[in-house]
Amino acid sequence: MSACLFCKIVAGEIPATKLYEDEDMLAFKDIDPQRPVHVLLVPKKHITSLASLAAEDALLVGKMLAKTNDIARAAGSLGGFRLIINTGEIGQQEVQHLHMHILGGPQPVGPMVKKH
Ligand code: 5GP
Ligand code: ZN
């Protein structure tokens, strides 16, 4: 069993509110939403962060990017969204499994600033 939180969510060992899933990726609601729409999109494959992305992962990340607009719209953010990928210590990445924050809502959203 993996110790990684998002691998556990992908495996169904920890519950999450899923919004989209295919063979490559899973989108689910953030447990502590910072905006009316706050979705996390993760690769099913464990990749620690953008900093450890291999060249062979480029297609996978491209597929994820190509899904973000549909996921944001399905979650209720119709007029666009903000995409954030916190990376490493300076980026204040807390979960060490690559994830895209899809932030949106009915109104324009400001930048996501960490509370701590
Ligand atoms: P990071 O700070 O690593 O960019 O973002 C991690 C995100 O994961 C945070 O926004 C946090 O609220 C979210 N998160 C942490 N634990 C869980 C969990 O168990 N379930 C879900 N759905 N989100 C989580
Ligand atoms: Zn993982």
Side-chain angles (χ1 to χ4, degrees):
M1 188 196 278
S2 170
C4 169
L5 177 64
F6 289 170
C7 281
K8 286 182 176 169
I9 288 178
V10 167
E13 293 163 11
I14 291 176
T17 305
K18 297 180 182 180
L19 299 177
Y20 176 77
E21 181 170 16
D22 64 24
E23 66 272 26
D24 295 313
M25 68 192 88
L26 175 67
F28 52 93
K29 289 188 179 179
D30 195 290
I31 204 168
D32 181 22
Q34 304 299 306
R35 295 292 183 275
V37 171
H38 189 167
V39 179
L40 299 174
L41 178 59
V42 307
K44 288 190 168 176
K45 170 187 174 182
H46 181 87
I47 298 171
T48 303
S49 83
L50 269 191
S52 59
L53 202 65
E56 71 215 37
D57 297 325
L59 178 60
L60 169 60
V61 172
K63 286 182 183 176
M64 292 172 66
L65 286 172
K67 286 287 176 195
T68 53
N69 190 54
D70 283 350
I71 292 168
R73 289 183 63 84
S77 197
L78 302 181
F81 57 95
R82 190 180 292 272
L83 192 70
I84 295 178
I85 306 175
N86 294 323
T87 303
E89 194 178 343
I90 298 295
Q92 298 185 56
Q93 179 181 359
E94 287 168 15
V95 178
Q96 304 306 311
H97 180 130
L98 176 66
H99 52 282
M100 301 180 181
H101 294 261
I102 301 171
L103 302 170
Q107 304 293 329
V109 297
M112 188 177 81
V113 177
K114 294 267 181 171
K115 289 173 284 187
H116 47 273

